[in-house]
Each structure stands twice: as C-alpha cells, then as structure tokens.
Amino acid sequence: MMKQFFDATQELIKLRKNLWETNKKFQQAMIPPRVVHWKTPLLLSIFLALLTVAAVTDWRTRTLLFDMSWLLFTLSMGLLTSQKPFVIKGVSLSPWVTSILIGLWLLIRLPSDRKEIAWISGPLIAVVVLAIIQIWKSESKREGIRSLVRPQFLMITLVHVLFSCWFAFHFLIQGWIEQYPSVLSQDLRQSDYVVTFQRPTINRSRGVVILNEMERYLRNEARTKPWAQVEQMLIDIDNERFFLKNQALQTIGVVAEDARWDVKTAIVQGESRYQLDMQATWLGVVFRPEIYSFTKSCEVFQIANRATVTCDAIKRSQPGQKKDGTAGDSQV
C-alpha cells in the first residue's frame, strides 16, 4: 500500500515538473524579449480576440474589438516577416504579407458592391509598407526618404501601380458585362481583356433571354390557369393593358441594357386559338444602319378548359438587313 502511494506521489511530482517546464517554454515562446517586438502586438491581438468572442455582447463594440485585433495581428505579421528567414536576397516579404492581410479585412468590411477596392488597393498598400520599412530601417531618415526616388524603388512602384490598374480594368470590364450581358454573345476568344473559353451563342443575348423568359411566363400561366383567364390575358396583351416584358424582367432582374431593347408583341386571333408574335429589337449603337432583332412566335389554343402553348425557335434578323427592309452586304 505504501509503495503504491509512493509511486503515485512520484508520478504527480513528475507531472507537476513537466507542467512547470511546459509553462516556462510557453512563456519564453510568447513573452516578447523587448517592448518593440512582433510578439507584443500578437499578444494584444489574442487578448482582444478573446474579448470579442467571450466577453462583449454589444455588436458595435465587438466589431470595433475585432478590427483592432486584426490590425494588431497584421502589424505583428508585418514585423515578423520583415526579418529572417522571411528576407530573401535582401527583399522582405513584409509588404506583401501586410497588404494581403489588410485586403482580407477590406473584403470582410466592404459592402458586396465595393469589394473590388480590396483588390485594387492591395498593390498600392504593399508599396506604402515597403516605403515605410525603407525609411524605418535607414540610419538617416532624410536618406531613407531620398531612397524612395531612386530608380529601383520607382520601378517597383510602377510595377505595383500597373497591377492595381489591371485589377481596376478587370472590374470595370466585369461591370460592363453585368450591365450589358449581350457582349458575351459575341466572339471574344481573341480579346486581350475578356477571358472566355466558350463559343459565341445568341442565347447569351439579352434580347433572347427576355423572349425566353416571356415564353416561360406564358407557359406557366397556361399550365396553372383555366382557358378563360389565359384568353383574357392575351386580349389584355393585344390592347396593351398587360406587358409580358415587365413580367419577364421581374424574374430575371433589370440591367442597364434593357433600356436599349424594344420589345413588342402582336396578337392574331383565330377560332379558340391565338398567335402571339414577340420581337426584341436592339435600339443601341451599331456599326452600320442595320436591324439587330430576334423574333419568337407562339400559338395558344384551347383544349377542353385548358390552354396549350407551342412556340417556334427564336429567329434572328437576316444578317445585313437594313432598317428600311432592303438587304445589306454585312453582318450585324
């Protein structure tokens, strides 16, 4: 019994010794050797992060603490990567690590329609951090400032500005494509600015999208409503009291290009059947005075008390056809 007690005591002593040694190693690893050290902002960042998660319930205060924690973490990583082994052939990785971390923070904080600012400002932030490091590490602050106008630093600055401009141009092109999606219906495989691996197709044209959505709405109405209601809808379309285009745009959303499409409908009434002709004509800028339009014909007829819809494939205006109806010699 005494031997078992003695063995248990020895094990507890060893465990206490191991814990003490682990604590000492942890303190040596975490406590900064001096005040100005990369571990100092890291400890503050961890402390603020714990407060954000565990102690603070107010949302604004929590957001503020998170931002301060991320700022201190960014400062810590910037100081860490400004020294060996993160200095490769005299070039520190600190500017780019710092710009990446600031960019991630901007991606979180900026609204969805402004997130491109994080990408555009990233290279510029890296240049600013690099300038601060050069001034900080120089023996003379005046000499450090002078180094910023030397050819080597100017070349680095121009390269980063070029990257920033390319990011800005990319988002500018993407914005144009979002507002004018018909651009993607053209053959852009030889473009130096728009990357696409798909063949051009008229299905990407906004006019085609609107006509297809109008057909989809018509079919849904015929499937869910009796013939009398569908017939009344067709009469309202013919009298311009109801517009299929508006119903289509409610589903697919409105973009700037929609204002340039003239969508017309025509109804031809028969015995228990209607023919609906839909046409979308581009009113925007074209290279030559030619018609650029799409047409779709649908037939709606009665079977029992229900409506049945059959539609032809979309037809494009004849290439080269001029606005006066005469044939041309070029493609739209």
Side-chain angles (χ1 to χ4, degrees):
M1 185 68 178
M2 291 297 295
K3 184 177 182 305
Q4 293 178 350
F5 177 77
F6 179 76
D7 292 340
T9 303
Q10 292 296 323
E11 290 296 329
L12 290 174
I13 293 174
K14 289 181 180 180
L15 179 61
R16 181 175 177 274
K17 185 177 180 180
N18 291 335
L19 291 175
W20 180 257
E21 292 295 330
T22 302
N23 182 51
K24 288 179 62 177
K25 292 179 180 179
F26 178 77
Q27 290 183 5
Q28 291 176 358
M30 292 300 297
I31 296 178
R34 55 186 183 276
V35 176
V36 182
H37 194 268
W38 67 269
K39 294 181 181 179
T40 303
L42 179 62
L43 289 175
L44 293 174
S45 173
I46 295 174
F47 174 72
L48 292 177
L50 292 175
L51 283 180
T52 303
V53 175
V56 180
T57 57
D58 180 69
W59 177 253
R60 292 185 178 181
T61 306
R62 177 177 291 184
T63 302
L64 177 62
L65 290 177
F66 171 80
D67 292 341
M68 293 175 61
S69 174
W70 191 264
L71 176 63
L72 290 170
F73 177 74
T74 302
L75 177 61
S76 173
M77 294 298 102
L79 292 173
L80 174 62
T81 53
S82 65
Q83 56 193 15
K84 294 182 179 181
F86 301 100
V87 179
I88 303 174
K89 294 183 179 181
V91 179
S92 170
L93 299 180
S94 178
W96 297 278
V97 172
T98 303
S99 66
I100 290 173
L101 292 175
I102 294 177
L104 291 175
W105 177 78
L106 289 174
L107 285 175
I108 296 174
R109 282 286 167 262
L110 290 172
S112 58
D113 58 340
R114 290 291 182 269
K115 291 189 182 297
E116 63 271 14
I117 295 176
W119 292 90
I120 298 172
S121 62
L124 303 180
I125 294 174
V127 171
V128 173
V129 175
L130 181 60
I132 294 174
I133 291 176
Q134 286 201 3
I135 296 175
W136 181 269
K137 288 188 174 181
S138 61
E139 296 181 358
S140 171
K141 304 305 178 186
R142 179 178 298 178
E143 184 64 25
I145 295 174
R146 287 179 179 176
S147 66
L148 302 183
V149 296
R150 291 175 181 171
Q152 183 179 3
F153 186 83
L154 290 178
M155 184 63 65
I156 294 175
T157 301
L158 290 176
V159 169
H160 284 73
V161 170
L162 179 62
F163 276 111
S164 181
C165 290
W166 270 107
F167 283 134
F169 188 70
H170 164 77
F171 287 108
L172 177 64
I173 292 294
Q174 290 301 120
W176 284 350
I177 290 176
E178 288 178 2
Q179 293 301 317
Y180 296 89
S182 293
V183 173
L184 295 176
S185 66
Q186 307 300 316
D187 191 355
L188 302 176
R189 288 173 293 177
Q190 303 300 323
S191 173
D192 295 328
Y193 307 106
V194 181
V195 179
T196 179
F197 300 98
Q198 299 181 5
R199 297 181 62 85
T201 171
I202 65 170
N203 292 331
R204 292 187 175 188
S205 175
R206 187 66 174 179
V208 173
V209 172
I210 293 174
L211 292 183
N212 285 334
E213 192 59 37
M214 291 167 65
E215 177 192 352
R216 188 175 295 109
Y217 179 84
L218 181 64
R219 289 184 180 276
N220 183 67
E221 292 293 295
R223 186 177 62 255
T224 58
K225 293 183 178 179
W227 167 255
Q229 295 185 21
V230 175
E231 184 179 28
Q232 185 60 48
M233 180 186 70
L234 295 173
I235 294 173
D236 290 340
I237 292 174
D238 190 31
N239 295 327
E240 295 186 352
R241 292 196 297 264
F242 184 80
F243 298 95
L244 276 179
K245 178 185 176 181
N246 295 343
Q247 297 298 324
L249 293 180
Q250 287 181 9
T251 304
I252 60 179
V254 179
V255 296
E257 183 182 340
D258 295 337
R260 300 294 182 178
W261 284 99
D262 179 32
V263 181
K264 295 181 179 180
T265 55
I267 298 289
V268 178
Q269 183 178 0
E271 185 177 352
S272 298
R273 65 178 58 235
Y274 292 82
Q275 181 177 332
L276 172 62
D277 295 326
M278 301 177 290
Q279 183 180 40
T281 304
W282 173 249
L283 300 180
V285 178
V286 292
F287 292 108
R288 297 180 182 180
E290 299 171 348
I291 295 176
Y292 182 74
S293 65
F294 300 97
T295 57
K296 176 185 281 287
S297 296
C298 297
E299 189 174 17
V300 186
F301 52 92
Q302 180 183 6
I303 295 181
N305 191 36
R306 310 300 296 184
T308 301
V309 178
T310 60
C311 294
D312 298 334
I314 287 181
K315 297 179 181 179
R316 180 179 171 179
S317 57
Q318 183 180 358
Q321 182 180 359
K322 297 183 179 180
K323 294 183 178 180
D324 58 4
T326 61
D329 56 356
S330 65
Q331 293 187 350
V332 179

